[in-house]
């Protein structure tokens, strides 16, 4: 299925714009809304899951900024709508630099419009599965100093790289480029202890496979932990998203039963 952009060009649904729709954003097309609604038929908590993940991202990047990190590489960023990384970290440190990376060129174009006038934040088109092209991109190398700590943000993106070999290799290459004192942030969908039936998950996988170019693949807790091998996990470790340093202004959708968030989040420091 396709949507139509303002220039009349047909656009397929993408994970970035489905996520934007769930967050209540306006940077999405009919195809994205149709795919999102199809997902809600089997996973009706989609918007709550998205907002819980966004809340984790806000808390974690604020912690990194307050810990002295002044550079951020957000891979699989989607569209930086209200309350995203550059707004949060530049409130803590106005000199903080942010590079957003997404595979969806429409999301990147929307991002550049939203970032107009902010000389310390930009967006590029890039594929997590090709980390070398991200690391060598002229805007990345000019904006970020890889001899100093960087916060590498992989929020809700690795489950769109279902091939384990590709995913672990990509994260390994990105980590290897970072200076000591850098951080890795990961949030990841999981079926561990989650309330969803396998047939519901199969339908969700099929929707992403048919309607977007980003197939979905969940991982277990131990598989997600593997991304942090060799890193010093920041307390409280790898936990259900609502349990990572909760704040009073967080959404309370899953406060009574955090595993219903269906997502794990953690932050690790490169020694």
């Amino acid at each position: 299925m396709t949507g139509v952009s303002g220039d009349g060009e047909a656009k397929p649904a993408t994970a970035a714009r489905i996520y934007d729709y769930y967050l209540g954003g306006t940077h999405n097309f009919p195809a994205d809304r149709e795919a999102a609604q199809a997902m809600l038929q089997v996973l009706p908590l989609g918007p709550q899951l998205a907002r819980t993940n966004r809340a984790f991202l806000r808390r974690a990047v604020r912690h990194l900024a307050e810990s002295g990190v002044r550079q951020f590489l957000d891979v699989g960023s989607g569209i930086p709508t209200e309350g995203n990384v550059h707004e949060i970290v530049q409130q803590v440190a106005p000199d903080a630099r942010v590079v957003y990376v997404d595979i969806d060129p429409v999301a990147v174009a929307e991002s550049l419009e939203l970032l107009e006038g902010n000389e310390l934040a930009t967006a590029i088109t890039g594929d997590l599965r090709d980390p070398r092209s991200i690391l060598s991109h002229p805007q990345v190398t000019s904006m970020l100093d890889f001899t100093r700590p960087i916060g590498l943000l992989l929020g809700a993106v690795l489950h769109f790289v279902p091939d384990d070999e590709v995913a672990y290799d990509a994260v390994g290459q990105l980590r290897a480029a970072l200076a000591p004192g850098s951080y890795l942030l990961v949030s990841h969908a999981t079926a561990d202890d989650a309330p969803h039936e396998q047939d519901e998950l199969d339908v969700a996988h099929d929707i992403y496979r048919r309607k977007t170019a980003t197939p979905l693949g969940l991982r277990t807790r131990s598989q997600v932990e593997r991304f942090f091998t060799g890193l010093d996990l920041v307390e409280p470790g790898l936990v259900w998203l609502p349990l990572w340093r909760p704040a009073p202004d967080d959404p309370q959708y899953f406060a009574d039963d955090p595993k219903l968030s269906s997502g794990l989040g953690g932050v690790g420091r490169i020694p």
Side-chain angles (χ1 to χ4, degrees):
M1 301 297 296
T2 60
V4 180
S5 69
D7 59 8
E9 181 183 355
K11 301 293 183 185
T14 70
R17 297 195 301 272
I18 292 172
Y19 187 60
D20 176 73
Y21 174 74
Y22 282 156
L23 291 173
T26 59
H27 303 281
N28 49 76
F29 299 132
D32 307 302
R33 297 189 284 275
E34 181 179 328
Q37 289 295 332
M39 288 284 291
L40 291 177
Q41 297 302 310
V42 291
L43 298 175
L45 295 178
Q48 292 94 322
L49 299 177
R51 291 165 189 162
T52 298
N53 181 77
R54 177 58 64 90
F56 161 75
L57 179 70
R58 287 198 300 265
R59 298 193 304 273
V61 298
R62 183 178 295 114
H63 170 75
L64 295 187
E66 291 173 347
S67 299
V69 178
R70 295 294 179 264
Q71 306 181 101
F72 295 85
L73 180 61
D74 187 352
V75 182
S77 56
I79 300 166
T81 50
E82 182 178 355
N84 214 304
V85 174
H86 68 283
E87 294 178 337
I88 296 164
V89 301
Q90 289 176 354
Q91 287 174 357
V92 177
D95 61 337
R97 297 171 176 265
V98 179
V99 178
Y100 293 106
V101 183
D102 202 89
I103 196 172
D104 175 13
V106 176
V108 172
E110 296 276 9
S111 300
L112 290 172
E113 288 186 16
L114 291 166
L115 294 170
E116 188 173 355
N118 190 330
E119 296 182 355
L120 299 180
T122 192
I124 67 166
T125 304
D127 188 337
L128 173 58
R129 297 167 298 182
D130 186 9
R132 292 182 184 178
S133 68
I134 295 173
L135 294 170
S136 63
H137 193 286
Q139 287 178 270
V140 173
T141 57
S142 64
M143 183 75 77
L144 305 179
D145 178 359
F146 281 84
T147 68
R148 305 187 65 180
I150 291 174
L152 172 60
L153 313 179
L154 299 175
V157 64
L158 285 164
H159 44 245
F160 294 117
V161 186
D163 186 308
D164 285 342
E165 183 177 353
V166 173
Y168 292 124
D169 180 64
V171 175
Q173 289 188 52
L174 290 170
R175 281 179 44 175
L178 303 180
S182 296
Y183 289 84
L184 170 66
L185 176 155
V186 171
S187 62
H188 200 299
T190 181
D192 283 9
D193 299 319
H196 311 298
E197 299 294 335
Q198 186 59 49
D199 58 345
E200 295 175 332
L201 296 176
D202 290 342
V203 172
H205 289 189
D206 185 59
I207 291 170
Y208 270 98
R209 180 184 59 80
R210 289 186 295 105
K211 294 183 177 289
T212 79
T214 45
L216 181 66
L218 308 186
R219 291 188 171 88
T220 64
R221 175 180 294 272
S222 62
Q223 289 174 316
V224 177
E225 286 175 339
R226 184 176 163 187
F227 291 113
F228 293 103
T229 300
L231 304 189
D232 301 323
L233 275 173
V234 174
E235 290 294 333
L238 181 66
V239 295
W240 296 110
L241 294 174
L243 299 180
W244 201 96
R245 304 192 177 209
D249 59 346
D250 287 344
Q252 299 298 309
Y253 305 120
F254 309 111
D256 294 335
D257 194 354
K259 70 176 182 292
L260 295 180
S261 68
S262 303
L264 298 168
V267 177
R269 185 179 185 274
I270 296 177

